[in-house]
Amino acid sequence: MARMLAEAAKVEHDRQIGRVVCVSGSQVVMALDPANEPGAKAAVQKGALVKMPMRRTTVFGIVSGLSIPVPARQPGEAESQLAELELIGEIKSEQGFHRGISEYPALGDPVRSVGPDDFARVYAPSAGSTIRIGTVHLDSTRPVLISPDHLLGKHFAVLGTTGCGKSCAVTLLLHALLAKHPNAHVVMLDPHNEYREAFKGQAEVLGPETLQLPYWLLNSEEIAAVVIGAERTERHGEAVAAILNDLIPAAKRAYQRDGRSDLQITVNTPVPYRLSDIQRSLDDIMGKLDKPESMAPYRWLKTRLEILSTDSRFAFMFGGIAVHDQMARILSRIYRIPVNGKPISILDLSSVPSEVLNTVVSVLCRMTFDFALWSKGAQPILLVCEEAHRYAPANPALGFEPTKEALARIAKEGRKYGLSLCIISQRPSELAPSILSQCNTTFAFRMTNLRDQELVRGITADSAYGLLDFLPSLGDAEAIVVGEGVSVPLRVCFDRLPPDQRPQSATAHFSEAWQSDQGDLAFLDQVVEKWRRQQR
C-alpha cells in the first residue's frame, strides 16, 4: 500500500496519460501514452480515478481493466497498452460532482490523471450531515464520509465472508451514527450475543431473562408455529390451528369484558387474553364430545399449552400467572421511547429456543413495521438484522415464511414510514433476493464464493463492476461501497475500532488455548448448571 501511494505521489497531477480509442455506453477504452514514465503507471492501476476534460464538463472514470502490452506492428513503434474505464459521473464548471454523463468523450480525446482537488470534489458527500467510516484505498489521507439520510433512507446491506470485518464495520457505523444522533432509535437482532460489550452504556440489552414478548402479541400464524411447530408436522397440526383460531378471539373478548369493550376483536388483534380461558374452553368442548378420536386434537392442545407454560425456556413468552396489558411498556423498551441515554436496543437471541427463534424474529419484525405504520413514522427506526439469511432464506423450505414476509414488507415499504433496514449476511446468495434488491447501499467485503460474487454484481451499478473484481482479494476491514450512501463507488479501508468497542466475534486462539490443561470437573459442573438453567 505504501509503495503504491509513493508511486502515485510521483505522478504529476493533471498530466495526459492516454487517449480514448473506443466508447461504448458507460465504458471507454483508453490507449496509454507510450511516453509515460514508469512511475506514471500508478495513475492507471486498476481502481484508479481518471478524468477526461470536455467542452462543458469534466468526465470521470474508474480504471476497471488493463490489457497486456500489444506488440508494435512496425519496427521503431512502441508497444501499446489498453485500459478499460467505467464512467461514473461529471463535474460541470464550478458545480459539484454528480452521477450520470451528459457529454461523452470522443475518439482521440485525452485522458488525464487526477489531483487532490479532483479527489476532494468527486468523493465529497452531498450537503448535509455526514459521518466518517474510513479512508479511500488509493489515498489514505482522503476520508470516506457517508450521508446518514441517504444511507438510511433506502436501506443498506453489509455482505462478506466470515472473519472479514463485517461486525466491526457495523459497530463502527452505528457508533458514528449514535455519536451525531444521540436520540436515535436502533433495534439490533443479535443471534450470537456479539454486540453487548461493544455498546456498553449505550444499549438496552434484552435477552430471554429480560425480554418480554407475551404470547398474546403473536398473530395466528405465529402462535400456531409456537404451539404446533413451524412446519405443522404434528398429527393434529391443522386441526389444532383451526381450534386456536376459534378460541383465541373468544378469550380476547372475555378479557376485554373486564376492561374496555369497544374493540373489534379478531385472532390477530394485539390485545391480551388468558391461557386459563383457552384451557377452560377446551375442557368444556371435550365434555360435550362422546368419541375419543374427536377429543384427540383438543387433548393434545391442552397438554401442549401446559408444557409451554411450565418450560422455563419459554418464560419470556408464557411466564407469569397474571395477564396485564403492558403493550406500551414493551414497545418503550424495544424501541427506546424515551431514549433515556440508550439509543440502541440489542435483542440477544442466542438463548432463545431454536424451535421458536424464527417466530420470535417474525414477531419483532412485524411489530416494528406495525409500530412505524401506526405512528406514521414519528419516531424513525433502524432495524439491524444480523445473519439475515437465517431468517429470510431464498429457499422457502429452510425458514419460517412469515419472517421473510415481515422483512420483505419492511424492505419494500418501510422507508415510507421512517423505518430503515440493515441486512448483514455472510451468504448473500442464500438470502431472499426480493429483500436484498431493496438495499440501495451495499458494503461488499471479501467474498470467495462465486455465487455470492455474482449476486453482488447483479444488485450493484455497472460503474462498480471493475471494483467488484477485487472482492476475492480484499483485506480485512476493506470493502467496496456502492449506492446512495456514497457519491461514487469506491474501495474503502474502515477505521479501526478501539478495543473496548469491538464486538465479541474474534476467532478462538486454538494454538494458545491448547498449550495448557485448564479444564476440570468443577468447570464442567458450571457448564452443566448454566445449560440446564439456560443462563449465559
Side-chain angles (χ1 to χ4, degrees):
M1 177 69 181
R3 182 181 59 82
M4 293 167 54
L5 292 174
E7 288 183 350
K10 297 177 183 177
V11 180
E12 182 183 350
H13 301 316
D14 199 32
R15 67 170 293 173
Q16 182 172 324
I17 54 177
R19 288 190 174 275
V20 175
V21 295
C22 179
V23 180
S24 177
S26 63
Q27 295 180 326
V28 168
V29 177
M30 169 185 69
L32 274 62
D33 190 342
N36 282 334
E37 299 175 0
K41 292 184 178 179
V44 288
Q45 61 183 301
K46 192 164 182 175
L49 185 69
V50 297
K51 64 181 180 181
M52 288 149 279
M54 304 286 104
R55 289 180 300 171
R56 298 184 300 273
T57 68
T58 299
V59 176
F60 289 85
I62 293 176
V63 178
S64 59
L66 297 170
S67 72
I68 61 174
V70 179
R73 290 178 295 181
Q74 297 179 6
E77 280 189 357
E79 62 182 13
S80 59
Q81 189 172 1
L82 303 179
E84 298 175 359
L85 312 177
E86 293 284 350
L87 303 182
I88 58 173
E90 63 185 9
I91 292 178
K92 290 185 177 180
S93 61
E94 296 303 318
Q95 300 178 14
F97 175 86
H98 65 87
R99 300 183 187 186
I101 307 297
S102 62
E103 185 178 2
Y104 281 83
L107 296 179
D109 280 352
V111 180
R112 310 186 75 86
S113 60
V114 296
D117 292 342
D118 298 314
F119 269 106
R121 298 180 71 181
V122 170
Y123 290 122
S126 57
S129 176
T130 60
I131 58 173
R132 172 182 167 135
I133 62 170
T135 58
V136 178
H137 177 260
L138 291 177
D139 184 358
S140 60
T141 66
R142 182 64 53 194
V144 175
L145 303 176
I146 299 286
S147 166
D149 287 333
H150 291 167
L151 179 70
L152 304 180
K154 297 182 180 179
H155 316 307
F156 65 101
V158 182
L159 312 173
T161 189
T162 182
C164 63
K166 296 190 308 298
S167 298
C168 285
V170 171
T171 304
L172 173 71
L173 186 59
L174 292 179
H175 272 297
L177 284 170
L178 298 181
K180 282 204 170 183
H181 309 91
N183 293 314
H185 304 275
V186 180
V187 179
M188 172 176 280
L189 306 183
D190 183 4
H192 303 303
N193 193 23
E194 292 181 59
Y195 296 93
R196 178 191 298 260
E197 295 300 319
F199 295 96
K200 188 180 296 184
Q202 288 184 289
E204 180 82 3
V205 181
L206 303 176
E209 302 85 5
T210 54
L211 175 64
Q212 286 185 298
L213 203 65
Y215 59 85
W216 50 264
L217 282 175
L218 279 60
N219 65 20
S220 58
E221 289 182 296
E222 293 158 355
I223 190 65
V226 171
V227 174
I228 306 165
E231 300 180 7
R232 301 194 179 188
T233 56
E234 297 293 342
R235 178 182 175 187
H236 306 296
E238 294 298 330
V240 168
I243 294 170
L244 286 171
N245 286 341
D246 286 339
L247 297 185
I248 288 176
K252 289 182 177 182
R253 285 191 289 269
Y255 183 91
Q256 291 302 307
R257 280 198 294 270
D258 298 337
R260 38 182 313 193
S261 58
D262 59 335
L263 295 176
Q264 295 294 322
I265 301 295
T266 70
V267 67
N268 293 328
T269 306
V271 296
Y273 63 92
R274 305 179 188 89
L275 285 182
S276 59
D277 289 341
I278 299 290
Q279 293 168 328
R280 190 178 302 110
S281 297
L282 290 172
D283 289 336
D284 292 343
I285 294 172
M286 286 189 291
K288 298 175 183 178
L289 298 175
D290 53 2
K291 295 183 179 180
E293 59 270 21
S294 302
M295 296 183 189
Y298 296 94
R299 187 180 295 113
W300 185 93
L301 175 57
K302 183 178 179 181
T303 302
R304 178 61 175 163
L305 291 177
E306 290 173 353
I307 292 174
L308 291 172
S309 299
T310 55
D311 192 333
S312 61
R313 298 180 304 151
F314 297 92
F316 70 97
M317 189 175 286
F318 292 93
I321 299 176
V323 178
H324 302 286
D325 188 355
Q326 297 182 324
M327 187 170 178
R329 192 173 70 85
I330 294 171
L331 297 179
S332 172
R333 291 196 70 190
I334 294 176
Y335 303 120
R336 310 307 308 141
I337 302 174
V339 174
N340 286 335
K342 294 184 176 181
I344 179 172
S345 61
I346 298 176
L347 302 174
D348 175 14
L349 306 177
S350 59
S351 299
V352 173
S354 59
E355 55 265 44
V356 298
L357 177 59
N358 275 358
T359 306
V360 169
V361 175
S362 174
V363 177
L364 292 169
C365 293
R366 177 183 55 79
M367 284 177 50
T368 302
F369 181 86
D370 287 343
F371 173 77
L373 173 67
W374 294 111
S375 67
K376 298 182 179 180
Q379 299 286 350
I381 295 173
L382 169 61
L383 176 64
V384 181
C385 189
E386 178 71 86
E387 297 280 6
H389 56 275
R390 293 177 54 180
Y391 316 119
N395 186 348
L398 296 180
F400 184 48
E401 282 298 293
T403 311
K404 185 191 301 183
E405 293 170 6
L407 282 171
R409 192 178 185 192
I410 293 174
K412 294 174 183 177
E413 306 175 39
R415 66 181 184 85
K416 303 175 185 177
Y417 309 107
L419 177 55
S420 181
L421 181 64
C422 168
I423 292 293
I424 309 169
S425 176
Q426 58 181 283
R427 291 306 305 269
S429 60
E430 297 179 2
L431 185 64
S434 61
I435 297 175
L436 194 55
S437 62
Q438 297 294 324
C439 297
N440 281 25
T441 301
T442 301
F443 297 84
F445 287 78
R446 183 173 61 249
M447 294 182 200
T448 54
N449 184 277
L450 290 177
R451 288 182 57 203
D452 292 337
Q453 293 178 31
E454 290 303 316
L455 185 136
V456 172
R457 289 180 183 276
I459 63 173
T460 53
D462 292 346
S463 59
Y465 275 11
L467 288 175
L468 294 179
D469 290 340
F470 289 110
L471 284 179
S473 59
L474 290 174
D476 291 345
E478 287 187 3
I480 307 300
V481 188
V482 185
E484 298 285 339
V486 290
S487 56
V488 296
L490 54 90
R491 181 175 175 179
V492 58
C493 300
F494 277 83
D495 291 336
R496 298 291 179 178
L497 280 168
D500 62 335
Q501 293 183 3
R502 293 176 185 169
Q504 295 179 330
S505 57
T507 304
H509 298 287
F510 288 85
S511 59
E512 178 181 337
W514 286 353
Q515 293 299 318
S516 59
D517 185 7
Q518 296 180 347
D520 55 18
L521 286 178
F523 164 75
L524 292 177
D525 287 339
Q526 293 176 359
V527 173
V528 170
E529 185 66 17
K530 292 179 180 179
W531 195 339
R532 288 172 173 169
R533 292 181 179 275
Q534 294 292 298
Q535 294 178 346
R536 299 296 292 267

